[in-house]
Amino acid sequence: MRDESLTITDNRTGKTYKVPIENGAIRAIDLRQIKTEEDDFGLMTYDPGFLNTASCQSRITYIDGERGILNYRGYPIEQLAESSTFVETAYLIIHGELPTRQQLEDWTYHITHHTIIHRNIEKFIDGFHYDAHPMGVLLSTVAALSTFYPDAHDIMNPESRQLQTYRLLAKMPTLAAFAYRHSIGMPYAYPDNDLNYTGNFLNMLFKKTELKYRPDPVLERALDVLFILHADHEQNCSTSAMRSVGSSQVDPYSATADAAAALYGPLHGGANEAVLRMLTEIGSKEHIPDFIRRVKAGEGRLMGFGHRVYKNYDPRARIIKRMADEVFKVTGKNPLLEIALELEKIALEDEYFIKRKLYPNVDFYSGLIYQAMGFPITIFPVLFAIARTAGWVAQWIEMIGDADQKIARPRQIYLGADARDYVPIDQRA
Ligand code: CMC
């Protein structure tokens, strides 16, 4: 049998250590025994940005970045995008298996019947300035939910976790839609239980004076597929935030607010918004070579390109690119598409991007679809947050049930001043 272990020789002392290898990893704590002196702290690893550190074991999402593979609970993203719905995929991600017909009915029923938010949350949204970014509104209001549901603090109780799961999945679209309606000064449109998850979201966003809002089925399905593609992506920045903050045993609304804050950043979920701004700024195909030159000179990034894990085409981008055609048949072509296609072509032939394995990611084309569907740019990261809530919740529940997990508390390498005496203010230089 193969010896699943690693032998390390510390050249400082000449001592040799043997540490077990499990699932292709060693435990960082096993390095602590490697010391030069008895009272030495022991060897640590230094890994800013977690480039090569697994922070957990997980059974939810599998990514093979080299081969461009993404599976939720073993099911390929292409099959889910083709055959599943977001609500079913959320069930799969959270529960580990596809639901039976009855399970799906119950799940859908509960999510549909928790969509309304307390009037005081509406008043809270009313308090934001008219030009508040919807993502800032979303993350603040989801945090505020924790004050409305004190039972959510009972995180060790599976029934409570189930209830908060329904509430989170159900209320995120309502919060997002209300944030948008507030920003354009429109009265809030209440949930319509006759519509499905995405149809109802479109209703809350776009309903005007008509008695019944009827979403376009192609656009409703396209948004549902986009939600499936964004539902989880293993240990990315926002999911790590969810797990890290959740590891303090705070309630899931507070942890979700932190995850949403992480997603807000332009390097993560804010990238779809940044792509649209970039394409608008480029303005026409003739300006692309100059733009690429500036990116290569380090004067900014080609937004929607590159990924920490995918070093091949992002499989989600491939599905989105195909879907764009269907959406544009209904909405008309987004004039920025030509620029995006040309930008992609030029970048994929350029040595700079080839060498660094930079390919379009999920955000490169999603914004074009969102814009064609009538979504304002600032709501793009909010759409990402609604879908990713399924993943955040699944990862949070997995973390709570994982006996290996402890409060997240990284170590540091201290390089600051040695201990010194306090200097009174009149004696300082
Ligand atoms: N444009 C130009 N250069 C880039 C880009 C880009 N988009 N991405 C990476 N690089 C370069 C980077 O400058 C570096 O070059 P060098 O080795 O010469 O210093 C090299 O490629 C490696 O980059 P890195 O920053 O070390 O890679 P990372 O794994 O830390 O960053 C990333 C991953 C997604 C943050 C980065 O590729 C990026 O900033 N992309 C643009 C923002 C974006 O589209 N984000 C959405 C990610 S997908 C949705 C999600 O899951 O959040």
Side-chain angles (χ1 to χ4, degrees):
M1 241 188 31
R2 202 165 68 159
D3 182 0
E4 295 290 323
S5 69
L6 177 74
T7 301
I8 304 166
T9 303
D10 184 348
N11 295 326
R12 298 170 302 176
T13 59
K15 279 197 199 153
T16 293
Y17 304 83
K18 191 171 166 176
V19 294
I21 297 175
E22 205 184 326
N23 299 318
I26 60 162
R27 284 184 182 255
I29 198 73
D30 286 344
L31 301 179
R32 194 68 86 66
Q33 58 180 311
I34 304 178
K35 301 178 174 191
T36 47
E37 310 281 343
E38 204 31 56
D39 60 353
D40 185 3
F41 182 78
L43 199 67
M44 289 193 293
T45 55
Y46 175 55
D47 191 9
F50 298 103
L51 289 180
N52 195 38
T53 297
S55 62
C56 64
Q57 301 185 345
S58 181
R59 293 179 166 76
I60 301 172
T61 291
Y62 173 77
I63 302 177
D64 182 332
E66 293 300 327
R67 293 195 289 155
I69 291 174
L70 168 62
N71 300 339
Y72 297 156
R73 301 283 189 181
Y75 294 101
I77 192 67
E78 292 79 6
Q79 290 182 25
L80 293 169
E82 181 68 34
S83 310
S84 187
T85 62
F86 172 69
V87 168
E88 184 185 66
T89 298
Y91 183 99
L92 168 72
I93 289 175
I94 293 168
H95 294 93
E97 295 296 338
L98 285 167
T100 61
R101 202 175 291 279
Q102 186 59 50
Q103 285 167 331
L104 183 59
E105 245 172 56
D106 293 348
W107 175 246
T108 308
Y109 176 87
H110 286 298
I111 292 172
T112 309
H113 287 80
H114 279 284
T115 45
I116 290 180
I117 54 173
H118 195 287
R119 259 297 291 149
N120 286 347
I121 285 279
E122 283 183 33
K123 289 194 230 157
F124 183 62
I125 297 176
D126 287 345
F128 283 93
H129 207 45
Y130 74 94
D131 60 355
H133 195 292
M135 196 65 175
V137 178
L138 179 74
L139 70 92
S140 322
T141 44
V142 75
L145 287 184
S146 83
T147 66
F148 285 77
Y149 304 115
D151 57 323
H153 295 282
D154 192 10
I155 60 159
M156 294 304 169
N157 176 350
E159 279 168 27
S160 169
R161 288 201 298 265
Q162 179 78 294
L163 180 57
Q164 313 321 323
T165 300
Y166 295 141
R167 285 177 174 153
L168 268 164
L169 290 173
K171 293 183 200 305
M172 284 297 262
T174 314
L175 297 177
F178 283 21
Y180 168 64
R181 303 280 287 207
H182 174 70
S183 73
I184 54 166
M186 288 269 285
Y188 304 128
Y190 286 99
D192 179 344
N193 287 0
D194 292 342
L195 299 173
N196 67 23
Y197 192 82
T198 28
N200 173 49
F201 178 51
L202 291 168
N203 156 68
M204 291 189 290
L205 284 169
F206 298 129
K207 184 170 188 285
K208 295 200 176 76
T209 53
E210 65 272 44
L211 287 179
K212 186 103 186 147
Y213 179 83
R214 299 194 191 283
D216 182 292
V218 175
L219 302 188
E220 182 188 76
R221 175 63 190 157
L223 187 60
D224 210 54
V225 172
L226 282 159
F227 280 1
I228 293 173
L229 300 182
H230 285 87
D232 193 52
H233 213 233
E234 51 117 312
Q235 307 314 313
N236 53 81
C237 181
S238 57
T239 302
S240 304
M242 182 83 187
R243 280 183 174 260
S244 196
V245 173
S247 75
S248 74
Q249 302 194 347
V250 72
D251 69 274
Y253 302 101
S254 302
T256 301
D258 286 288
L263 192 72
Y264 192 1
L267 296 190
H268 191 11
N272 49 20
E273 181 179 344
V275 169
L276 253 281
R277 294 192 192 285
M278 173 190 76
L279 295 175
T280 310
E281 192 194 310
I282 293 173
S284 81
K285 285 204 269 184
E286 301 83 75
H287 298 147
I288 293 175
D290 185 52
F291 176 78
I292 295 276
R293 185 193 52 73
R294 283 189 281 130
V295 167
K296 284 159 61 177
E299 297 168 25
R301 292 202 158 192
L302 174 48
M303 300 310 287
F305 257 66
H307 201 276
R308 172 65 58 79
V309 182
Y310 294 119
K311 300 301 170 195
N312 190 323
Y313 215 93
D314 180 338
R316 302 167 300 174
R318 194 169 275 132
I319 299 170
I320 289 182
K321 202 174 164 186
R322 269 204 311 269
M323 218 172 59
D325 294 333
E326 284 164 42
V327 170
F328 294 153
K329 267 186 220 152
V330 177
T331 62
K333 211 181 243 178
N334 187 326
L336 296 175
L337 178 67
E338 294 301 319
I339 302 177
L341 288 169
E342 184 67 13
L343 195 54
E344 177 185 349
K345 187 169 156 285
I346 294 181
L348 292 182
E349 287 165 0
D350 191 296
E351 186 56 25
Y352 174 95
F353 297 91
I354 296 171
K355 207 173 108 201
R356 291 170 179 78
K357 300 189 175 176
L358 302 171
Y359 292 91
N361 59 47
V362 69
D363 289 323
F364 193 67
Y365 287 105
S366 62
L368 290 172
I369 300 184
Y370 292 147
Q371 195 180 50
M373 287 171 78
F375 292 112
I377 290 183
T378 52
I379 211 161
F380 295 178
V382 165
L383 301 172
F384 196 155
I386 292 172
R388 187 54 60 84
T389 300
W392 292 334
V393 169
Q395 303 267 353
W396 171 73
I397 292 173
E398 186 176 60
M399 188 255 320
I400 300 223
D402 182 349
D404 264 5
Q405 286 297 321
K406 292 181 177 299
I407 185 165
R409 206 309 183 182
R411 291 281 172 181
Q412 65 164 5
I413 297 172
Y414 178 70
L415 299 176
D418 287 336
R420 47 188 172 161
D421 290 326
Y422 178 79
V423 183
I425 196 158
D426 54 2
Q427 291 170 28
R428 291 176 211 163

